[in-house]
């Protein structure tokens, strides 16, 4: 089976390392895989020693809009790549739109899987009520309508997302739900690492909550810190471990919350080390506001927490309740082997049509 996988991110994105590379590398064990990456200028020099072939194309801004996609299509000349493929698996709106436009340009018929990753129109609309954001949301909505009318098969990251889009566009094509995957070579249970790191951080006797992520407003870290500070007064044995690529911003938030320095640790790690430090915790924190974007999501960090054997805490009122684990998102977890098997079955079915 010849699979052309199309993405819009590369090495500078943790999403690529945790999800795109994991899927392509795993599928390459049983299929021929080529990855077409429309990427940022910073990634054009990236080289990968992997089981799939990597083809890089520079990606312009507003890649998920029809106008930009059509312009990019005009300059795309690699017809043979699309003729080679048996199935085209597109990760997200921009790659799906590019596949549709390129196939039309060259007059090629190949099955397209649109792997929808989020409610992008709603995400942009919710981020700001400015005119420019409304304009971009409208442009992406037009592109989204085209994707849902032209793609042959759909993958969604949650059952809620499936229901949302099937209702929005009255889709009658086949589809599957595949939650966000994680790299199980990095995110897994590591008892020895747990012992060593808890000793290193001097948290052996604590119930440790971990927050893994950045300082963006939608991650609600300020609310997490405030709730943790209050809970610490009632539950002295709890401890907060923060793993973040945005250490300076997070340090400022913690200082503003006036949490004593002995009550937390902030670390900025290489991606490959995050799983080991997650193992040092007992529960992972994820707090999201009530919105369409979050309702349909399959957050990567939740599945990383689960893969490392942690409880998942999505309710600030549960700080200190050591037996609590969330029901939201948790049932959406799927091991990588099952994802690969079910996706391969879809590839085979589409290729023989």
């Amino acid at each position: 089976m010849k699979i052309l996988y199309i993405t819009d991110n590369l090495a500078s994105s943790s999403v690529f390392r945790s999800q795109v590379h994991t899927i392509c590398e795993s599928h390459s064990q049983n299929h021929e895989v080529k990855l077409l990456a429309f990427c940022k200028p910073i990634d054009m020099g990236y080289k990968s020693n992997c089981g799939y072939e990597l083809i890089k194309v520079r990606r312009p801004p507003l890649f998920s809009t029809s106008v930009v996609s059509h312009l990019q299509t005009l300059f795309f000349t690699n017809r043979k790549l699309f003729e080679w493929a048996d199935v085209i698996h597109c990760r997200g709106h921009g790659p799906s739109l590019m596949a549709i436009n390129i196939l039309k340009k060259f007059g090629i018929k190949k099955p397209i899987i649109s792997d929808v990753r989020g409610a992008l129109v709603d995400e942009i609309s919710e981020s700001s009520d400015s005119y420019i954001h409304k304009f971009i949301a409208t442009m992406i909505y037009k592109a989204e309508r085209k994707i849902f009318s032209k793609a042959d098969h759909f993958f969604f990251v949650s059952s809620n997302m499936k229901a949302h889009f099937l209702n929005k566009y009255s889709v009658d094509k086949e589809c599957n739900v595949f939650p966000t995957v994680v790299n199980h070579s990095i995110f897994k249970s590591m008892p020895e690492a747990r012992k060593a790191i808890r000793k290193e951080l001097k948290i052996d006797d604590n119930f440790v909550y971990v927050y893994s992520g950045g300082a963006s407003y939608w991650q609600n870290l300020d609310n997490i810190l405030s709730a943790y500070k209050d809970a610490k007064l009632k539950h002295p044995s709890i401890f907060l471990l923060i793993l973040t690529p945005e250490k300076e911003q997070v340090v400022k938030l913690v200082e503003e919350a006036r949490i004593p320095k002995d009550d937390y640790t902030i670390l900025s790690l290489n991606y490959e080390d995050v799983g080991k430090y997650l193992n040092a915790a007992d529960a992972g924190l994820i707090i999201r506001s009530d919105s369409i974007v979050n309702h349909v999501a399959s957050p990567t960090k939740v599945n990383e927490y689960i893969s490392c054997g942690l409880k998942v805490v999505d309710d600030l009122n549960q700080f200190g309740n050591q037996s609590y684990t969330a029901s939201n998102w948790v049932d959406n977890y799927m091991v990588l082997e099952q994802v690969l098997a079910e996706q391969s079955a879809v590839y085979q079915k589409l290729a023989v049509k």
Side-chain angles (χ1 to χ4, degrees):
M1 180 74 63
K2 297 174 181 176
I3 304 166
L4 174 58
Y5 194 103
I6 307 179
T7 186
D8 60 357
N9 53 51
L10 204 54
S12 62
S13 166
S14 61
V15 170
F16 172 80
R17 289 172 286 173
S18 66
Q19 299 169 43
V20 178
H21 172 74
T22 299
I23 285 288
C24 289
E25 183 71 2
S26 299
H27 274 313
S28 70
Q29 305 302 311
N30 299 301
H31 306 287
E32 291 184 63
V33 179
K34 294 186 180 182
L35 173 61
L36 174 59
F38 290 93
C39 51
K40 299 176 182 178
I42 191 175
D43 289 323
M44 289 302 292
Y46 172 73
K47 295 181 181 179
S48 176
N49 181 19
C50 53
Y52 55 86
E53 181 182 343
L54 174 63
I55 301 105
K56 293 169 291 183
V57 177
R58 185 166 174 172
R59 168 170 63 88
L62 301 179
F63 181 64
S64 297
T65 63
S66 292
V67 172
V68 173
S69 181
H70 279 298
L71 288 173
Q72 181 100 34
T73 302
L74 289 175
F75 294 99
F76 189 88
T77 59
N78 194 345
R79 176 184 184 130
K80 290 183 178 179
L81 178 61
F82 283 77
E83 291 177 331
W84 166 88
D86 293 318
V87 175
I88 303 170
H89 182 162
C90 308
R91 189 185 189 282
H93 285 56
S96 299
L97 195 58
M98 283 301 303
I100 292 167
N101 290 335
I102 290 171
L103 289 178
K104 181 179 179 180
K105 172 183 177 178
F106 293 130
I108 301 171
K109 291 186 177 181
K110 299 284 181 173
I112 294 175
I113 299 170
S114 180
D115 192 341
V116 185
R117 311 305 302 180
L120 189 56
V121 174
D122 299 275
E123 183 178 339
I124 293 171
S125 299
E126 289 177 10
S127 66
S128 172
D129 60 357
S130 69
Y131 173 78
I132 187 65
H133 279 80
K134 290 180 180 178
F135 176 74
I136 293 171
T138 299
M139 294 289 288
I140 293 177
Y141 171 66
K142 292 179 180 178
E144 195 173 81
R145 285 190 304 175
K146 183 174 183 177
I147 292 167
F148 277 91
S149 67
K150 298 294 184 181
D152 300 284
H153 198 103
F154 294 93
F155 290 168
F156 300 106
V157 297
S158 71
S159 296
N160 287 341
M161 179 179 287
K162 175 183 174 182
H164 170 73
F165 280 110
L166 294 192
N167 179 64
K168 185 176 182 179
Y169 293 106
S170 301
V171 178
D172 59 359
K173 298 174 184 177
E174 292 190 43
C175 52
N176 297 79
V177 173
F178 295 111
T180 302
V181 301
V182 299
N183 187 331
H184 287 102
S185 67
I186 295 174
F187 299 96
K188 59 184 178 181
S189 178
M190 301 181 224
E192 293 304 316
R194 173 181 171 84
K195 292 178 184 177
I197 293 171
R198 287 177 72 92
K199 183 176 181 180
E200 168 196 333
L201 299 179
K202 299 179 181 179
I203 53 176
D204 282 343
D205 299 325
N206 296 101
F207 185 89
V208 179
Y209 289 96
V210 63
Y211 169 81
S212 179
S216 300
Y217 74 93
W218 50 269
Q219 302 201 62
N220 290 304
L221 181 55
D222 53 345
N223 294 331
I224 290 173
L225 295 172
S226 177
Y228 170 69
K229 182 181 179 181
D230 292 341
K232 182 71 174 177
L233 297 175
K234 301 176 183 178
H235 308 278
S237 66
I238 65 174
F239 186 86
L240 180 60
L241 173 62
I242 301 176
L243 310 179
T244 179
E246 302 172 4
K247 189 171 182 178
E248 290 186 9
Q249 297 95 311
V250 171
V251 167
K252 289 180 181 178
L253 288 174
V254 174
E255 289 176 347
E256 289 172 1
R258 297 185 178 181
I259 299 174
K261 290 186 178 181
D262 291 341
D263 293 344
Y264 68 90
T265 293
I266 302 174
L267 299 173
S268 186
L269 305 169
N270 292 326
Y271 170 73
E272 292 75 15
D273 294 324
V274 173
K276 290 187 290 187
Y277 279 80
L278 288 182
N279 269 266
D282 300 289
L285 295 164
I286 178 166
I287 304 298
R288 294 285 190 268
S289 57
D290 185 15
S291 68
I292 288 294
V293 174
N294 292 322
H295 179 65
V296 305
S298 174
T300 304
K301 71 172 65 181
V302 169
N303 290 341
E304 290 175 348
Y305 292 158
I306 294 172
S307 293
C308 293
L310 307 186
K311 297 177 183 296
V312 177
V313 176
D314 62 349
D315 182 349
L316 293 177
N317 293 321
Q318 297 298 328
F319 252 129
N321 180 356
Q322 297 183 15
S323 63
Y324 177 80
T325 189
S327 58
N328 189 29
W329 293 310
V330 176
D331 292 338
N332 199 46
Y333 178 74
M334 187 182 291
V335 297
L336 179 60
E337 290 75 14
Q338 184 179 351
V339 172
L340 297 173
E342 293 188 16
Q343 287 188 355
S344 292
V346 174
Y347 295 156
Q348 185 65 39
K349 185 175 181 179
L350 288 173
V352 299
K353 281 188 176 181

